[in-house]
């Protein structure tokens, strides 16, 4: 049995202290810290963390896990309940999960929320959750031992939330032990359930949030209704970088028009702190207010530079920088346009490439892509001047929302309540809090509870997009088809840079992920990243840098395979150096029936990659290529995430990720004319509908027989995305002989009315 | 103006200043029936689908005045206790992810069933947009219907 290395902190509780804290309210409560995940903090080596999870065993036997992460369809709450139930030794159905509410929980430090990004919820909480459950279970057993006056642990067994004393054959329920347990100091370590005895981990279990999602009762951010609430509809300057010239008069029937400024820390790219880049019309209901906002004209100051903010210019700049860019200088200004060496060495790579028998020198381009969550951005705020601020938001960053509210209102954390609502998709966009800052500003201005909504057109045109990228790859082979060198350069706007980070010598980890640390035997190689100066706001988009780089790398590898006259699967297989990668590649190829010919008129493409500590490979089979489209028939995906908690949920996430990757690869693109985004709604941003869904087959590599806590559990939620685009483009080449180096494959596609 | 609507079998009186207010916003803002969702507002996504006299209607583009005198069913009125066969199938097959599109999807499915479609035929009638990509499970789920 493995034991927990955590040191619990005995009562009395100290607010904000790390570690376990026992509290007595309503039975037995264990408060603890689960690792928080922030892409920015991770990149900068920062740690975040106060008590952010509470496990309560009530005297009536109810078991509740209160935790601050967000549920946006990834099923993570249910996954946590499953993990907890395993080591607590109770039925899964007994665990209720509750969304944490900062400031009202029994122990309320700043930030009872953890951040939900990076496919992180299940994987980062797995061991902490197990430890907490085991410690809680042993505290309850200790209460039983005290009541029986027999301190020999081996005389007790636990099952289904009941402690049985074998000698007297007495059964004590957790509920009956909770009050006594609350007075005990929890043990510092507790044995976990051995993997071989898992009842729940690794088993497909139903998600707890699903019933409320089939009858309309699930409350999303947009569904919040507060007594006395008014409605606000945002209207941004259509051009990025534009600011309000004069405040328009209040349209008839409306309450007011509130100018909203870019709150410090929430603006990206062109969005400069304190600039008024939007106004909110406030009125009696969504429709009337929205119509008033539509009709109202606002005059804006447009920056002169915006004339140059066009796709063609962005790509041209990217291509220039892909050829030549000044290198990073320690302590220097390193303005956008700087070259960072992430790994390897350019000089030795170039020398090696000079001796190659065959060279592929290819430039790949990827567009900006909007998030387009099914639920538009929105936030509801009830503010009482100097007294309280209550916020309801579909947010992936509850803690950031709390901190932002403190900054805007000047209130202390105990006066602010953040309710994290269900998210109608997050996809990385709802990690940002620009929309929250606007809602708070409007609520403060109108003195009434207000629900602020971004109409779909605002959601599309004021997104923080997946970064565009120009990627240049140069790789060489000898006559036998072995690598002699590999040079990879990604030019893209910086996610971290737009969030105020000062980039170090290796540039933006988020921009280059998926291209570094690859287990191919490249020989001399270099991986470089160049900061593109485009000021269009960029953001974390499902699978982030991996969605750019897996396309670049795996397209280039495929070109090499064909240049070598080899099967693209076998070519990769021969060059991968890690057995886990080879196993995943084999699994995807097997699933797709790679060894058999596809039906006439069909072709398959393959790609492999990594994101969030998982390894993933896909085979995409296509047919019916025309100038305007193609048919995706089958997708076979294999995933090694080291350990999967709920395989049915992993499968669902991979299916969804594939659709996300497919929509982006075939059609996804936001275009810009003079700094204004052009696609304003789904009619100009095609996505698949039911009839176009390919048959997706999923293979999840088996869980380890005894999980090692020193090994990383990989992410799942974003893993369907990165390998889709290259596998598709590779299939396209196989079928047509044309190499698609630019995404999307079918730009400008439209979607018609139902 | 004041209008009478029949929603989920109940007669409701609503007052609107604009007779062009789409049924969607009447349901959501005036009647508090937030199960019906806004996705696009231009009849493309289907998140706002409700049943009007047995037919699927995109409520984001249906003037409230044209719903007067008709029987409107929203997701809240589809069944008591998630007992409609489609709801049961959706739970059994664990279809929803974020769930935001699913009210509209389920209303479209219910309309297709009402029109006599069964099994996989249903899905050819249901082309709602699901950004989460739950299409494969939808396809599985309707097999039993
Ligand atoms: S909101 Fe009505 S079809 Fe999209
Ligand atoms: S379940 Fe999220 S959009 Fe369909």
């Amino acid at each position: 049995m493995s034991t927990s290395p955590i040191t619990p902190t005995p009562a009395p509780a100290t607010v904000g202290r790390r570690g376990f804290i026992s509290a007595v309210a309503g039975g037995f409560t264990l408060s603890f810290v689960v690792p928080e995940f922030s892409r920015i903090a991770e990149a900068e080596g920062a740690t975040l963390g106060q008590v952010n999870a509470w496990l309560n065993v009530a005297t009536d036997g109810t078991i509740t896990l209160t935790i601050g992460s967000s549920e946006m369809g990834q099923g993570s709450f249910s996954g946590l309940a499953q993990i907890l139930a395993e080591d607590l030794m109770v039925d899964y159905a007994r665990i209720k999960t509750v969304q944490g509410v900062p400031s009202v929980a029994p122990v309320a430090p700043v930030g009872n929320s953890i951040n939900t990004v990076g496919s992180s919820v299940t994987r980062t909480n797995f061991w902490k959750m197990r430890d907490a459950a085991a410690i809680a279970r042993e505290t309850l057993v200790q209460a039983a031992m005290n009541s029986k006056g027999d301190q020999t642990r081996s005389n007790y067994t636990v099952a289904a939330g009941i402690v049985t004393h074998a000698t007297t054959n007495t059964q004590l329920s957790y509920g009956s032990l909770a009050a006594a347990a609350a007075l005990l100091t929890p043990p510092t370590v507790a044995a976990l359930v051995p993997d071989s005895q898992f009842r729940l981990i690794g088993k497909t279990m139903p998600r707890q949030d699903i019933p409320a999602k089939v009858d309309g009762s699930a409350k999303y951010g947009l569904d919040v209704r507060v007594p006395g609430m008014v409605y606000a509809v945002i209207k941004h300057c259509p051009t990025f970088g534009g600011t309000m010239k004069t405040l328009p008069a209040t349209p008839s029937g409306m309450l007011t028009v509130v100018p909203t400024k870019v709150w410090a820390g929430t603006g990206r790219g062109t969005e400069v702190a304190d600039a008024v880049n939007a106004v909110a019309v406030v009125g009696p209901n969504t429709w009337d207010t929205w119509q008033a906002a539509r009709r109202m004209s606002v005059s804006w100051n447009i920056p002169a530079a915006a004339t140059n903010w066009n796709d063609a210019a962005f790509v041209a700049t990217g291509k220039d920088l892909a050829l030549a860019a000044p290198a990073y200088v320690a302590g220097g200004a390193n303005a956008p346009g700087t070259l960072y060496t992430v790994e390897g060495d350019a000089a030795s790579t170039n020398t090696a490439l000079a001796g190659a028998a065959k060279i592929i020198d290819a430039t790949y381009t990827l567009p900006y892509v909007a998030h387009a969550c099914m639920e538009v951005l929105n936030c509801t705020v009830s503010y009482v001047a100097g007294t309280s601020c209550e916020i309801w938001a579909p947010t992936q960053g509850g803690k950031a929302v709390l901190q932002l509210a403190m900054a805007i209102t000047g209130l202390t954390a105990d006066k602010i309540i953040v309710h994290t609502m269900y998210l109608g998709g997050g996809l990385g966009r709802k990690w940002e809090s620009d929309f929250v800052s606007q809602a708070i500003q409007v609520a403060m201005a109108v003195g009434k509870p207000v629900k602020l909504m971004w109409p779909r057109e605002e959601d599309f045109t004021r997104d923080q997009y997946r970064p565009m990228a120009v990627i240049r790859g140069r790789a060489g082979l000898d006559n036998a088809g072995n690598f002699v060198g590999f040079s990879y350069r990604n030019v893209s706007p910086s996610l971290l840079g737009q969030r105020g980070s000062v980039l170090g010598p290796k540039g933006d980890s988020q921009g280059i992920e998926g291209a570094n640390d690859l287990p191919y035997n490249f020989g001399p190689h270099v991986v470089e990243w160049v900061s593109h100066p485009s000021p269009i706001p960029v953001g974390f988009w499902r699978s982030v840098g991996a969605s750019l780089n897996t396309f670049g790398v795996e397209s280039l590898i495929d070109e090499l395979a064909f240049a070598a006259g080899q099967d693209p699967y076998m070519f990769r297989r021969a060059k991968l150096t890690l057995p886990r990668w080879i196993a995943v590649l084999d699994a995807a190829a097997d699933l797709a029936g790679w060894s058999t010919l596809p039906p006439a008129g069909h072709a398959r493409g393959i790609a492999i990659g990594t994101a969030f500590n998982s390894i993933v490979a896909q085979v995409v089979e296509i047919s019916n290529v025309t100038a305007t489209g193609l048919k995706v028939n089958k997708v076979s995906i294999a995933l090694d995430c080291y350990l999967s908690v709920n395989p049915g949920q992993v499968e669902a996430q991979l299916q969804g990720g594939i659709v996300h990757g497919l929509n982006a690869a075939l059609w996804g693109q936001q275009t810009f004319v003079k700094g204004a985004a052009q696609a304003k709604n789904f009619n100009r941003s095609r996505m698949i509908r039911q009839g176009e869904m390919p048959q997706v087959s999923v293979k999840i590599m088996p869980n380890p027989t005894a999980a090692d806590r020193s090994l990383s559990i990989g992410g799942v939620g974003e893993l369907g995305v990165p390998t889709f685009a290259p596998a598709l483009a590779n299939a396209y080449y196989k079928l047509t002989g044309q190499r698609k180096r630019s995404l999307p494959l079918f730009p400008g596609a439209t979607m018609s009315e139902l | 103006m004041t209008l009478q609507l029949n929603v989920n079998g109940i007669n409701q009186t609503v007052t609107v200043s604009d007779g062009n207010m789409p049924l969607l916003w009447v349901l959501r803002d005036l009647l508090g029936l937030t199960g019906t969702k806004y996705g696009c507002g231009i009849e493309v996504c289907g998140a706002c689908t409700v049943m009007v006299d047995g037919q699927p209607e995109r409520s984001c583009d249906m003037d409230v005045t044209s719903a007067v005198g008709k029987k409107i069913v929203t997701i809240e009125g589809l069944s008591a206790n998630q007992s409609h066969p489609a709801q049961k199938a959706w739970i059994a097959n664990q279809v929803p992810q974020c769930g935001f599109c699913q009210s509209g999807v389920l209303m479209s499915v219910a309309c297709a069933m009402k029109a006599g479609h069964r099994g996989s035929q249903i899905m050819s009638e249901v082309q709602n947009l699901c950004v989460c990509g739950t299409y494969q499970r939808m396809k599985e789920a309707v097999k039993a219907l």
Side-chain angles (χ1 to χ4, degrees):
Chain A
M1 277 198 188
S2 54
T3 51
S4 151
I6 291 186
T7 308
T9 308
T14 305
V15 170
R17 181 185 297 182
R18 280 174 157 278
F20 292 95
I21 300 167
S22 89
V24 282
F28 167 55
T29 300
L30 201 58
S31 314
F32 55 104
V33 182
V34 291
E36 301 194 41
F37 185 93
S38 156
R39 289 194 146 261
I40 297 166
E42 182 186 62
E44 297 185 341
T47 54
L48 302 163
Q50 285 112 352
V51 170
N52 54 14
W54 291 264
L55 168 59
N56 176 267
V57 181
T59 50
D60 68 357
T62 312
I63 300 171
T64 311
L65 170 68
T66 305
I67 190 159
S69 44
S70 312
E71 177 59 74
M72 48 189 177
Q74 77 281 52
S76 47
F77 274 39
S78 304
L80 296 178
Q82 209 174 324
I83 297 165
L84 197 62
E86 186 75 82
D87 281 287
L88 200 53
M89 298 181 167
V90 297
D91 291 342
Y92 168 65
R94 283 269 303 275
I95 310 267
K96 301 280 165 266
T97 48
V98 173
Q99 178 69 57
V101 179
S103 305
V104 296
V107 182
V110 172
N112 140 30
S113 288
I114 66 162
N115 301 314
T116 309
V117 284
S119 297
S120 64
V121 177
T122 305
R123 67 190 176 99
T124 59
N125 294 328
F126 181 78
W127 295 106
K128 295 287 180 150
M129 204 53 66
R130 296 195 63 195
D131 291 337
I135 286 170
R137 182 232 304 144
E138 289 309 308
T139 311
L140 292 157
V141 171
Q142 184 62 53
M145 296 200 292
N146 295 351
S147 94
K148 298 312 296 176
D150 174 0
Q151 296 293 330
T152 307
R153 175 66 176 84
S154 57
N155 288 340
Y156 298 83
T157 55
V158 186
I162 293 178
V163 183
T164 303
H165 183 225
T167 2
T168 57
N169 198 24
T170 330
Q171 299 204 322
L172 296 163
S173 70
Y174 279 0
S176 72
L177 295 165
L183 304 173
L184 299 174
T185 300
T188 55
V189 292
L192 303 180
V193 171
D195 298 40
S196 59
Q197 290 171 24
F198 282 168
R199 296 166 299 126
L200 299 168
I201 293 171
K203 308 279 191 309
T204 292
M205 302 298 290
R207 261 170 51 194
Q208 297 180 343
D209 57 326
I210 282 187
K213 291 178 174 177
V214 304
D215 67 2
S217 63
K219 291 287 177 247
Y220 298 83
L222 200 56
D223 302 333
V224 171
R225 293 164 65 82
V226 180
M229 177 176 92
V230 293
Y231 294 76
V233 171
I234 201 78
K235 185 180 180 103
H236 289 91
C237 176
T239 305
F240 278 104
T243 54
M244 188 184 72
K245 212 179 256 176
T246 45
L247 183 65
T250 301
S252 83
M254 295 295 114
L255 248 66
T256 185
V257 178
V258 181
T260 59
K261 63 180 187 179
V262 177
W263 199 269
T266 68
R268 314 289 175 224
T270 56
E271 298 167 347
V272 180
D274 295 333
V276 176
N277 69 344
V279 296
V281 180
V282 185
N285 57 58
T286 307
W287 177 253
D288 290 344
T289 310
W290 184 10
Q291 295 318 298
R294 265 186 191 152
R295 284 190 296 261
M296 184 180 75
S297 80
V298 185
S299 56
W300 307 98
N301 291 307
I302 307 294
T307 19
N308 302 321
W309 296 340
N310 308 307
D311 304 285
F314 296 144
V315 172
T317 302
K319 286 188 171 163
D320 289 347
L321 291 168
L323 294 174
Y328 168 84
V329 178
N334 300 310
T338 296
L339 167 71
Y340 300 80
T341 300
V342 180
E343 75 182 24
D345 171 63
S348 57
T349 304
N350 288 334
T351 307
L353 285 174
K358 284 182 188 129
I359 291 253
I360 299 284
D361 183 345
T363 301
Y364 306 92
T365 55
L366 295 98
Y368 287 107
V369 183
H371 290 85
C373 298
M374 201 77 223
E375 177 198 27
V376 293
L377 296 174
N378 69 89
C379 178
T380 302
V381 177
S382 180
Y383 171 78
V384 180
T387 305
S388 67
C389 182
E390 196 165 357
I391 299 168
W392 295 261
T395 176
Q396 289 172 261
K399 182 173 194 163
V401 167
L402 176 59
Q403 289 166 335
L404 179 69
M406 290 167 69
I408 300 178
T409 62
L411 295 170
T412 48
D414 57 313
K415 304 229 165 34
I416 299 169
I417 301 175
V418 178
H419 303 273
T420 301
M421 307 305 294
Y422 277 125
L423 287 81
L427 305 172
R429 180 62 177 93
K430 288 172 183 162
W431 152 250
E432 306 295 340
S433 42
D434 47 344
F435 58 103
V436 176
S437 82
Q438 292 167 340
I440 298 172
Q441 293 177 60
V442 176
M444 290 177 75
V446 300
K448 289 180 195 224
V450 60
K451 171 154 73 181
L452 176 120
M453 181 182 99
W454 288 34
R456 175 58 68 192
E457 291 76 8
E458 298 283 325
D459 194 271
F460 262 94
T461 55
R462 295 299 299 206
D463 199 0
Q464 301 175 3
Y465 304 91
R466 179 180 82 173
M468 51 104 29
V470 175
I471 293 168
R472 184 181 181 210
R474 282 184 308 132
L477 300 172
D478 65 18
N479 281 320
N482 301 307
F483 284 125
V484 298
F486 185 91
S487 166
Y488 183 90
R489 178 180 292 188
N490 174 332
V491 184
S492 57
S494 176
L495 287 157
L496 296 179
Q498 286 200 5
R499 282 154 182 78
S501 300
V502 176
L503 301 180
K506 295 191 173 200
D508 189 329
S509 58
Q510 308 300 299
I512 201 62
E513 65 184 1
N516 53 348
D517 293 328
L518 293 175
Y520 281 115
N521 57 1
F522 288 135
H525 76 289
V526 63
V527 177
E528 298 164 330
W529 178 81
V530 179
S531 51
H532 190 292
S534 165
I536 300 298
V538 290
F540 301 108
W541 184 97
R542 197 171 183 176
S543 81
V544 196
S547 75
L548 310 174
N549 293 310
T550 310
F551 177 66
V553 170
E554 287 295 297
S555 293
L556 180 58
I557 298 280
D558 216 67
E559 297 203 36
L560 291 163
F562 283 98
Q566 293 183 23
D567 175 88
Y569 159 47
M570 296 313 290
F571 180 84
R572 286 175 173 80
R573 201 178 189 289
K575 288 168 173 57
L576 287 168
T577 56
L578 290 180
R580 277 177 72 185
W581 282 62
I582 294 169
V584 170
L585 188 72
D586 287 347
D590 282 355
L591 202 55
W594 189 274
S595 57
T596 63
L597 280 179
H602 291 221
R604 302 187 189 111
I606 192 166
I608 188 166
T610 181
F612 311 106
N613 295 316
S614 286
I615 306 155
V616 64
Q618 271 185 61
V619 175
V620 172
E621 184 178 313
I622 63 166
S623 67
N624 300 70
V625 173
T626 68
T628 54
L630 54 75
K631 180 167 169 52
V632 182
N633 299 283
K634 281 165 68 174
V635 181
S636 309
I637 183 166
L639 175 80
D640 180 348
C641 58
Y642 184 56
L643 187 149
S644 69
V645 172
N646 186 341
Q649 193 44 34
V650 172
E651 179 196 65
Q653 283 295 302
L654 293 175
Q655 290 172 348
I658 285 166
V659 169
H660 202 76
L662 184 156
N663 288 336
L666 289 173
W667 309 295
Q669 178 172 31
Q670 182 57 288
T671 58
F672 298 88
V673 174
K674 296 184 178 176
Q678 300 299 298
K680 297 185 169 66
N681 206 320
F682 287 112
N683 58 344
R684 291 280 311 277
S685 186
R686 181 138 148 53
M687 294 184 176
I688 59 165
R689 297 193 189 273
Q690 176 66 49
E692 300 161 311
M693 180 71 193
Q695 184 62 39
V696 175
S697 315
V698 173
K699 165 76 181 175
I700 305 165
M701 303 309 274
N703 281 354
T705 46
D708 177 348
R709 67 191 300 154
S710 69
L711 295 179
S712 292
I713 296 174
V716 171
E718 313 191 44
L719 268 292
V721 182
T723 43
F724 183 86
L728 173 75
N730 297 343
Y732 191 99
Y733 176 77
K734 176 80 182 165
L735 192 61
T736 65
Q738 282 174 48
R739 181 57 65 179
K740 286 284 183 186
R741 289 174 174 164
S742 180
L743 294 182
L745 262 51
F746 303 103
T750 58
M751 189 154 49
S752 51
E753 287 180 9
L754 282 168
Chain B
M1 72 185 78
T2 298
L3 305 169
Q4 293 284 330
L5 294 177
N6 184 285
V7 185
N8 299 330
I10 300 168
N11 287 320
Q12 304 264 14
T13 306
V14 294
T15 304
V16 293
S17 60
D18 174 2
N20 297 130
M21 185 186 286
L23 178 62
L24 170 66
W25 300 108
V26 173
L27 293 171
R28 289 182 55 82
D29 291 354
L30 306 188
L31 297 176
L33 295 169
T34 54
T36 304
K37 304 302 189 206
Y38 161 65
C40 67
I42 55 167
E43 289 192 274
V44 169
C45 75
C48 63
T49 306
V50 296
M51 191 187 284
V52 178
D53 282 350
Q55 298 294 317
E57 289 287 348
R58 314 306 160 194
S59 65
C60 69
D61 205 20
M62 181 184 204
D63 291 356
V64 61
T65 44
S66 60
V68 172
K70 301 193 171 143
K71 288 200 177 325
I72 302 158
V73 181
T74 70
I75 187 73
E76 290 90 347
L78 184 57
S79 75
N81 307 321
Q82 301 143 357
S83 58
H84 188 282
Q87 290 172 310
K88 286 189 188 164
W90 254 234
I91 294 172
N93 288 275
Q94 297 279 293
V95 174
Q97 289 188 25
C98 85
F100 202 79
C101 71
Q102 301 290 347
S103 298
V105 169
L106 282 160
M107 293 314 294
S108 301
V109 169
C111 291
M113 291 173 69
K114 212 175 181 79
H117 296 286
R118 289 292 173 268
S120 49
Q121 288 175 334
I122 293 171
M123 253 17 226
S124 54
E125 302 295 309
V126 179
Q127 295 300 318
N128 298 43
L129 184 66
C130 173
V131 174
C132 291
T134 63
Y135 300 116
Q136 191 154 327
R137 289 200 172 175
M138 289 182 197
K139 212 152 85 181
E140 287 299 314
V142 294
K143 283 184 184 163
L145 299 177

